[in-house]
Amino acid sequence: MLSSKSDPATADEELDGAPSEEEFITPDDVCKVFDTIFMQMQNAVAQLSQYIQQLQMAGKQIPEDQLQMMLKSEFESILVKVQAKVFEEADVDEDCLQEATWEFMAEPEKYPKVVKAVERFQRLYERISGQKVVGMRPGDAQIVNSKAQDLSPEKLLEAAKVFFDAITETMVEIVKKYKAEGKNLHDPAVVQGLQMQFASLADEIGEAALKKINLTMADFQGAIEKHKSHPEVGQTLMMLQIKQQQTLIAAGLPAPMG
């Protein structure tokens, strides 16, 4: 679990004693890496959504299965490049980071911030890929819970609207607050802080909204997994994300740079 942060010149000396804390990948290291990857991939998703919207406005209709495959392929291609860059900038080895991450995830009560950071990224990946990955660990099988099995495509889309509306409303309020405070929303550092605030609140707001209609996040994500091949489900979920981005732009958030 040693990262590339360790100093080879002192390695022999430290083998005889307890390794210094700086040699190990810490929970904070994991959180920073996943937060950075999440932010960059969230921006990539926004750009992909805009591209799809442009195609649709031009009259190009993409079959749902092809759209899902295209999104997942583009997402994963970008992710490989983003991860490599983030790992290099953080000076961590990918295998060591993965090993440390799973160890921290195995103790959720001790490392709740790691769980939150990792599962936030898993939700983003799940939304694009249609694969149930939130909360999964190495060797886990994909499981769809019973309530998710009972949720029809129509009910799922009703829940999705509730989910996205609640999160979008909160995001718009945050944008308005930033503007009222005179913050420059064209400053990349300000936008990054804004996006991090979005990310930190999204799960909590979404879960609270779903609770009002007697669903949990697991029910919602499980139903998405169950109905991912349904033509209307994938298309509507994508349109809800595009609508959210348009609403935020109208509120004053700069459009993602292509």
Side-chain angles (χ1 to χ4, degrees), residues 40-56 62 67-79 124 127-129 238-239 241-242 245 256-258:
Q40 295 189 28
M41 293 309 300
Q42 188 178 52
N43 189 59
V45 169
Q47 292 178 35
L48 288 172
S49 298
Q50 284 189 327
Y51 173 67
I52 290 169
Q53 183 185 24
Q54 290 168 1
L55 291 178
Q56 293 172 335
I62 306 174
L67 178 62
Q68 186 78 50
M69 288 176 61
M70 181 183 76
L71 283 173
K72 183 180 178 184
S73 176
E74 287 296 320
F75 183 92
E76 292 180 342
S77 177
I78 296 170
L79 178 59
L124 180 63
R127 200 169 76 221
I128 298 301
S129 69
M238 179 56 65
M239 292 308 298
Q241 293 174 49
I242 292 173
Q245 191 66 32
M257 298 299 292

Side-chain angles (χ1 to χ4, degrees), residues 1-257:
M1 195 165 90
L2 293 178
S3 77
S4 56
K5 293 178 182 178
S6 58
D7 181 0
T10 60
D12 290 339
E13 177 181 328
E14 291 177 343
L15 282 174
D16 296 330
S20 68
E21 184 178 348
E22 291 181 350
E23 283 188 298
F24 287 90
I25 294 176
T26 68
D28 283 345
D29 291 333
V30 174
C31 290
K32 288 176 183 177
V33 167
F34 274 91
D35 285 347
T36 303
I37 292 174
F38 174 83
M39 288 297 307
Q40 295 189 28
M41 293 309 300
Q42 188 178 52
N43 189 59
V45 169
Q47 292 178 35
L48 288 172
S49 298
Q50 284 189 327
Y51 173 67
I52 290 169
Q53 183 185 24
Q54 290 168 1
L55 291 178
Q56 293 172 335
M57 290 176 66
K60 185 176 180 61
Q61 296 299 317
I62 306 174
E64 179 59 32
D65 57 344
Q66 292 183 23
L67 178 62
Q68 186 78 50
M69 288 176 61
M70 181 183 76
L71 283 173
K72 183 180 178 184
S73 176
E74 287 296 320
F75 183 92
E76 292 180 342
S77 177
I78 296 170
L79 178 59
V80 170
K81 298 175 183 176
V82 167
Q83 283 184 159
K85 182 180 178 182
V86 172
F87 293 156
E88 181 179 359
E89 291 176 347
D91 193 22
V92 295
D93 175 77
E94 181 176 358
D95 291 336
C96 292
L97 178 74
Q98 181 174 332
E99 181 183 350
T101 299
W102 292 135
E103 288 185 12
F104 296 141
M105 292 285 282
E107 299 183 81
E109 294 183 359
K110 187 175 180 180
Y111 303 110
K113 290 183 179 180
V114 171
V115 174
K116 183 176 181 180
V118 173
E119 292 191 349
R120 182 167 56 203
F121 172 73
Q122 286 179 327
R123 284 193 177 92
L124 180 63
Y125 180 83
E126 185 172 293
R127 200 169 76 221
I128 298 301
S129 69
Q131 295 176 261
K132 177 64 179 173
V133 297
V134 176
M136 290 186 68
R137 306 293 185 268
D140 286 351
Q142 292 193 12
I143 300 173
V144 178
N145 62 43
S146 58
K147 187 176 286 189
Q149 292 279 20
D150 295 335
L151 208 61
S152 68
E154 294 74 22
K155 290 296 183 182
L156 169 59
L157 294 181
E158 289 176 12
K161 187 176 185 304
V162 169
F163 178 81
F164 277 98
D165 283 353
I167 293 176
T168 302
E169 182 180 349
T170 299
M171 288 178 166
V172 168
E173 289 303 314
I174 294 173
V175 172
K176 288 180 178 179
K177 181 174 179 289
Y178 269 56
K179 291 174 67 178
E181 293 172 350
K183 295 181 178 178
N184 180 9
L185 295 181
H186 292 278
D187 181 340
V190 172
V191 174
Q192 184 176 18
L194 183 66
Q195 295 284 4
M196 287 302 298
Q197 193 168 354
F198 286 168
S200 67
L201 293 173
D203 289 348
E204 181 181 347
I205 298 299
E207 287 175 0
L210 292 172
K211 187 176 181 180
K212 291 179 181 178
I213 55 175
N214 297 317
L215 291 175
T216 66
M217 185 67 80
D219 299 332
F220 182 58
Q221 297 289 355
I224 290 176
E225 169 66 17
K226 177 187 175 185
H227 298 301
K228 65 182 180 182
S229 61
H230 191 286
E232 188 180 356
V233 169
Q235 191 75 13
T236 301
L237 291 174
M238 179 56 65
M239 292 308 298
L240 285 171
Q241 293 174 49
I242 292 173
K243 179 183 176 183
Q244 181 183 77
Q245 191 66 32
Q246 291 174 331
T247 301
L248 291 172
I249 292 172
L253 185 69
M257 298 299 292

